[in-house]
């Protein structure tokens, strides 16, 4: 019975983790989807990045059930046929390297992803006049699978492929939702094989789980009431500063 009740008890962890899970829910609710990339860097202040990713995965899987249901009629199969095979390659590679990358390596990777995502937004690198083709889709799908497996930050590389496709907004969001629905459940396989879904991590996930639907509801509410422009400015600056901090922590 004692083993079943194992979970993280540090109050500082929950002080960080509850807002982090709330942010993921807000992103899954459709508002300012990029903020999901902040989650692992945030939680890394309380636990190591690998543990943070392991705790978040079951929560993401539950969230994806609701998101996939909401967008079940609004997604583009043709793009998923390109992205999904690439993602499997990325997930496999990430699983093979997960036990070999140090915490500093992961921190640096998280920082690079965060800064790259911000620069991509500010410099409008994805606002290109042409649409990425199949080869590009396989590459960005693989990179999204890799970064998502390591630190749940598959959004930035996926966006590089999806945004220039100029799909109808709901269709684009739905396609991305279905992509992450697939890869998050596939990620359960390597996470289980690597013994990351421990009793302690799963019990901690269970404690944080009630925050998830609140975040999804809040994201939907915010989407219809607040200006995304102002929120994005704040979040991108915060994410950039956070990325710099993570790189410094990983290199110093």
């Amino acid at each position: 019975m004692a083993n079943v009740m194992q979970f993280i008890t540090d109050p500082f962890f929950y002080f960080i983790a509850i807002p982090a899970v709330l942010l993921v829910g807000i992103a899954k609710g459709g508002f300012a989807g990029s903020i999901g990339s902040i989650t692992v860097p945030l939680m890394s202040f309380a636990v190591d990045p690998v543990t943070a990713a392991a705790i978040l995965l079951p929560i993401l899987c539950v969230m994806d059930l609701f998101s996939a249901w909401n967008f079940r009629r609004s997604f583009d199969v043709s793009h998923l046929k390109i992205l999904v095979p690439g993602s499997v390659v990325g997930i496999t590679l990430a699983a093979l390297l997960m036990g070999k990358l140090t915490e500093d390596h992961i921190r640096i990777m998280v920082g690079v992803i965060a800064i790259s995502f911000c620069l991509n937004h500010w410099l409008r690198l994805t606002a290109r006049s042409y649409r990425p083709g199949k080869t590009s889709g396989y590459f960005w799908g693989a990179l999204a699978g890799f970064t998502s497996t390591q630190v749940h930050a598959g959004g930035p590389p996926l966006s590089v492929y999806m945004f220039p496709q100029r799909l109808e907004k709901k269709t684009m969001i739905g396609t991305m939702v279905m992509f992450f629905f697939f890869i998050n459940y596939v990620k359960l396989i390597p996470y289980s094989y690597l013994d990351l879904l421990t009793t302690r991590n799963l019990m901690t996930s269970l404690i944080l789980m009630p925050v998830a639907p609140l975040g999804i509801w809040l994201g939907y509410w915010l989407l219809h009431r607040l200006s995304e422009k102002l929120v994005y400015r704040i979040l991108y600056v915060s994410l950039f500063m956070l990325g710099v901090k993570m790189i410094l922590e990983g290199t110093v």
Side-chain angles (χ1 to χ4, degrees):
M1 186 67 177
N3 290 333
V4 175
M5 296 305 296
Q6 286 182 353
F7 56 87
I8 294 176
T9 57
D10 182 9
F12 179 71
F13 167 78
Y14 293 98
F15 177 78
I16 296 294
I18 290 175
V21 173
L22 195 63
L23 287 175
V24 177
I26 291 172
K28 292 288 186 181
F31 181 79
S34 63
I35 61 177
S37 300
I38 299 177
T39 310
V40 169
L42 272 179
M43 291 180 65
S44 295
F45 286 109
V47 294
D48 67 87
V50 173
T51 298
I55 291 171
L56 280 170
L57 182 56
I59 299 173
L60 291 173
C61 288
V62 172
M63 288 182 176
D64 285 334
L65 290 174
F66 293 98
S67 298
W69 176 261
N70 289 335
F71 290 93
R72 64 190 183 280
R73 296 189 179 91
S74 303
F75 63 93
D76 192 312
V77 176
S78 64
H79 290 296
L80 291 176
K81 287 181 179 179
I82 297 171
L83 292 165
V84 167
S87 72
V88 174
V89 175
I91 291 170
T92 302
L93 180 60
L96 292 174
L97 294 176
M98 186 169 280
K100 300 178 180 179
L101 293 175
T102 66
E103 291 182 15
D104 285 338
H105 288 150
I106 297 173
R107 287 191 177 94
I108 293 171
M109 181 172 63
V110 171
V112 170
I113 291 170
I115 291 174
S116 299
F117 192 31
C118 293
L119 292 177
N120 176 69
H121 172 73
W122 290 330
L123 300 178
R124 300 183 181 279
L125 299 178
T126 54
R128 297 173 294 183
S129 58
Y130 66 93
R131 300 179 182 180
K134 283 187 177 181
T135 302
S136 179
Y138 291 136
F139 171 78
W140 291 112
L143 188 57
F146 181 89
T147 56
S148 181
T149 302
Q150 288 283 345
V151 289
H152 301 316
L158 180 62
S159 299
V160 175
Y161 173 80
M162 287 299 302
F163 287 179
Q165 302 299 333
R166 298 191 293 276
L167 298 175
E168 185 272 329
K169 182 179 180 180
K170 191 173 182 180
T171 302
M172 184 188 71
I173 295 174
T175 304
M176 296 176 77
V177 163
M178 291 302 178
F179 175 78
F180 285 114
F181 173 79
F182 171 81
I183 67 173
N184 281 335
Y185 276 90
V186 172
K187 280 152 54 178
L188 289 172
I189 299 173
Y191 271 57
S192 298
Y193 178 77
L194 295 171
D195 199 28
L196 297 176
L197 299 179
T198 62
T199 300
R200 183 171 183 260
N201 288 342
L202 288 174
M203 289 300 295
T204 304
S205 300
L206 188 61
I207 292 172
L208 292 170
M209 198 73 72
V211 181
L214 176 61
I216 294 174
W217 175 84
L218 186 58
Y220 183 82
W221 186 85
L222 288 171
L223 184 63
H224 294 82
R225 286 168 176 79
L226 295 180
S227 168
E228 281 195 66
K229 189 174 183 180
L230 175 60
V231 175
Y232 264 95
R233 286 179 180 175
I234 297 172
L235 290 173
Y236 275 111
V237 171
S238 301
L239 182 58
F240 183 85
M241 294 174 63
L242 191 59
V244 171
K245 179 175 177 56
M246 295 298 288
I247 290 176
L248 290 175
E249 287 183 349
T251 54
V252 176

